[in-house]
Amino acid sequence: MSQFPDSPKQSASPAVRFFSGENIPLEMHKVRVVQKLNLPPVEERLAAIRRAGFNTFLLTTREVYLDMLTDSGTNAMSDMQMGAMMQADDAYAGSQSFERMRLAIEEVFGKRFVLPAHQGRAAENIICRTYVKPGDLLPMNYHFTTTLAHIELNGGKIAELLHDEALQISSSNPFKGNMDIAKLRHAITTHGVQNVPLIRMEASTNLIGGQPFSLANLREVAAVAKEHNIPLVLDASLIGENAWFIKQREPEFQQASVADILREMCAQADIVYFSSRKVSSSRGGAICTNWPEIFEKMKALIPLFEGFLTYGGMSMREIEAMAVGLRETTDETVINQSPMFIRYLVERLQAHGIPVVTPAGGLGCHVDAMSFLPHIPQKEYPAGALAAAFYLISGVRGMERGTISSTRDQHGHDILADVELLRLAFPRRVFTLSQTKYVEDRLHWLHTQRQLIGGLRFVEEPPVLRFFMGRLEAVSDWPEKLMQAFRRDFGDSL
Ligand SMILES: *Cc1c(COP(=O)(O)O)cnc(C)c1O
């Protein structure tokens, strides 16, 4: 396996190599519209993170220099997308914009029937209402937060069937998102095929660090699904990056185009759904299939929850942008941008001895807070503390993916997360190399000062999804001490 992630074939760009031998992610686009950014001084950042209850979700973008919270709805738009938005055909029913989007989906994903939805979780609502009943079990490689919520809302449970090593922080496994086929067979047999309404595979598995599955594995899952007559559902929200990793890491597909890989991936699944917030940097989403009976089964729910069948809660401008964005997903110089920047940062941080999730994935760079801050017990939220500390000393906003994002058991004790991660998302074609080097520089400095960082405790804790709106405080005066160390080492620098 080790030949894959470190292979010299995986150059910085498929086309351009550097004389220096450095792995520099080269942009195949230029900037034509810009947004001014603001980097408030460290004293203001301390006041801001206090006001935000040490929760980066509660900062405003005015207080943030680089917003690496998420890639959702924050990828850069192309000139082609902006141009297409001007030809939006506003109509309640039968819009030509919808027809253009349907054709793009047919071309890129190879699926003829399209049900529009206003975003990914809305597609999940429609699918789960149709297929999931109390007592059902849904096998999947790994859950996504909104998917799990919709399955549980309809009385179902999930079985997460990754290979055991997929949750190891440091690994050379090129396909951590693969499903363990033996576990899948076991889950179907023990739960009863009649209680397994769907099998779900998620491309670039989000919550384990944007990690891909292989096409060989997807084909095996599809074979088991077919053998048991269970529909296979593909969550294609992050499919472009997964296809690019397949081309990079799976020998059978080295010569294939990303467009061919995308169609081959979708061909394995009976139902493909996606959040266009990730796929194409527009808004919206859709459910697609080639089976008329599957289309008919869900059709009636679209006007009820989303809107008429030719808009599904989206504006025509969003639909036009989605059509163009889907086609751009097949362009390697577009789709390789986030993975290349992520790999660059991961390699630079490793060179400084900073613990990160490897191999580099497709969504963001994930810093391992548990080994960054071994002196902070999990009940004092090391990933949350690292996210707050990093914002304080850099103005860069990441997302906590650890115990704060978890919940409590019936005795009121925290259910400790498997991993404590600070996620630094790389929305597609948004940040430059010098901004990426700034992130590297500030994280490097923070690592040398890590003993100064202390824990957090809740002061306001919502009962559900506490990570969105919860407020915390520092367990000591560590934020002031960290700010003083910053001033000592950086003088009057921002
Ligand atoms: C974001 C995401 C969703 C949900 O999509 P929304 O548009 O945010 O509702 C579902 N699945 C995956 C894998 C995602 O990344």
Side-chain angles (χ1 to χ4, degrees):
M1 282 216 163
S2 59
Q3 86 250 34
F4 292 109
D6 305 315
S7 155
K9 282 209 183 71
Q10 234 187 297
S11 60
S13 148
V16 180
R17 295 203 182 147
F18 281 80
F19 179 54
S20 66
E22 276 183 277
N23 254 346
I24 294 176
L26 189 65
E27 295 89 345
M28 286 297 167
H29 51 265
K30 66 173 180 176
V31 177
R32 294 175 65 205
V33 176
V34 296
Q35 178 179 353
K36 189 170 157 40
L37 294 175
N38 181 36
L39 176 50
V42 66
E43 291 77 12
E44 285 179 28
R45 300 197 296 258
L46 178 59
I49 196 68
R50 273 235 172 79
R51 257 195 318 272
F54 289 84
N55 178 352
T56 55
F57 274 98
L58 300 181
L59 292 165
T60 70
T61 56
R62 198 191 290 276
E63 295 158 341
V64 170
Y65 171 46
L66 304 179
D67 192 1
M68 305 183 96
L69 187 75
T70 173
D71 62 332
S72 182
T74 56
N75 292 329
M77 281 263 179
S78 72
D79 49 355
M80 297 297 189
Q81 283 181 296
M82 303 291 275
M85 287 167 82
M86 299 309 289
Q87 55 174 356
D89 174 29
D90 285 311
Y92 192 90
S95 164
Q96 294 170 58
S97 297
F98 179 77
E99 186 55 15
R100 284 191 277 270
M101 177 186 92
R102 202 196 60 72
L103 284 170
I105 288 176
E106 185 165 357
E107 187 183 310
V108 177
F109 291 162
K111 300 289 185 209
R112 275 180 300 145
F113 301 113
V114 176
L115 296 165
H118 77 274
Q119 62 186 81
R121 70 199 69 180
E124 288 167 342
N125 174 43
I126 305 289
I127 294 170
C128 291
R129 276 177 181 273
T130 307
Y131 284 92
V132 181
K133 60 179 194 318
D136 279 352
L137 183 79
L138 281 90
M140 56 185 65
N141 50 354
Y142 205 71
H143 79 279
F144 184 71
T145 49
T146 55
T147 326
L148 175 61
H150 280 293
I151 290 168
E152 287 183 340
L153 198 63
N154 287 281
K157 282 199 172 63
I158 63 165
E160 294 176 316
L161 307 179
L162 293 170
H163 288 272
D164 294 340
E165 80 271 14
L167 290 177
Q168 282 171 16
I169 299 283
S170 176
S171 162
S172 62
N173 186 332
F175 293 114
K176 280 176 158 180
N178 277 0
M179 189 182 271
D180 185 324
I181 302 297
K183 285 185 191 168
L184 174 60
R185 288 193 180 280
H186 183 75
I188 296 171
T189 316
T190 50
H191 209 76
V193 65
Q194 70 285 359
N195 300 317
V196 179
L198 297 168
I199 297 170
R200 175 176 175 276
M201 283 292 274
E202 182 180 308
S204 300
T205 322
N206 190 324
L207 295 188
I208 63 163
Q211 298 289 325
F213 54 67
S214 69
L215 235 165
N217 182 254
L218 184 62
R219 283 176 177 154
E220 282 186 281
V221 173
V224 175
K226 198 165 185 183
E227 185 185 314
H228 294 90
N229 218 2
I230 303 169
L232 175 60
V233 180
L234 174 61
D235 180 341
S237 301
L238 301 166
I239 195 171
E241 281 80 4
N242 199 127
W244 189 76
F245 283 124
I246 286 173
K247 184 172 162 70
Q248 297 296 306
R249 299 177 182 178
E250 201 166 351
E252 184 188 340
F253 297 97
Q254 260 168 25
Q255 303 305 323
S257 68
V258 168
D260 288 342
I261 295 171
L262 282 171
R263 267 194 306 272
E264 181 63 12
M265 291 171 82
C266 291
Q268 307 306 314
D270 302 290
I271 301 170
V272 174
Y273 77 92
F274 61 91
S275 161
S276 189
R277 299 176 66 84
K278 327 279 174 66
V279 168
S280 75
S281 65
S282 65
R283 304 293 183 272
I287 306 169
C288 357
T289 182
N290 276 337
W291 297 103
E293 58 273 32
I294 288 179
F295 176 77
E296 290 300 326
K297 226 171 156 165
M298 289 189 271
K299 194 171 86 172
L301 292 180
I302 298 293
L304 186 58
F305 289 102
E306 302 302 306
F308 191 69
L309 279 172
T310 55
Y311 76 91
M314 286 177 275
S315 73
M316 290 307 147
R317 288 178 163 226
E318 289 166 334
I319 287 175
E320 293 282 0
M322 190 201 290
V324 175
L326 276 169
R327 290 202 174 92
E328 290 177 344
T329 302
T330 66
D331 180 340
E332 234 178 276
T333 68
V334 173
I335 209 63
N336 69 8
Q337 285 295 310
S338 292
M340 289 203 316
F341 272 79
I342 292 161
R343 193 183 64 193
Y344 177 84
L345 183 58
V346 163
E347 284 174 359
R348 297 303 307 150
L349 294 180
Q350 278 185 302
H352 300 306
I354 297 171
V356 280
V357 171
T358 58
L363 180 63
C365 171
H366 294 71
V367 182
D368 176 16
M370 218 116 69
S371 16
F372 199 108
L373 302 170
H375 57 282
I376 301 183
Q378 251 189 303
K379 61 179 178 19
E380 289 182 9
Y381 313 124
L386 185 57
F390 188 50
Y391 167 74
L392 172 62
I393 63 103
S394 69
V396 178
R397 163 161 83 163
M399 189 191 288
E400 189 269 1
R401 292 273 94 161
T403 298
I404 294 177
S405 299
S406 177
T407 174
R408 289 183 192 269
D409 64 18
Q410 72 263 39
H411 308 298
H413 301 304
D414 273 322
I415 300 173
L416 302 179
D418 292 332
V419 284
E420 295 281 339
L421 303 175
L422 164 61
R423 181 178 87 183
L424 300 169
F426 271 86
R428 200 180 298 152
R429 300 195 288 185
V430 169
F431 300 125
T432 64
L433 188 60
S434 37
Q435 289 169 333
T436 308
K437 290 199 79 71
Y438 173 78
V439 172
E440 173 197 343
D441 182 82
R442 289 299 190 261
L443 256 178
H444 185 192
W445 180 81
L446 189 60
H447 194 237
T448 67
Q449 305 296 316
R450 59 191 181 277
Q451 287 303 335
L452 290 177
I453 305 173
L456 300 173
R457 62 179 159 241
F458 270 102
V459 288
E460 270 178 57
E461 187 176 342
V464 284
L465 296 175
R466 63 182 185 177
F467 63 92
F468 278 134
M469 307 295 277
R471 307 181 72 83
L472 303 95
E473 65 181 7
V475 297
S476 65
D477 64 351
W478 68 260
E480 286 78 9
K481 295 243 164 66
L482 187 61
M483 185 181 77
Q484 286 155 13
F486 179 91
R487 275 280 166 256
R488 178 196 68 215
D489 288 357
F490 290 99
D492 59 1
S493 167
L494 286 173

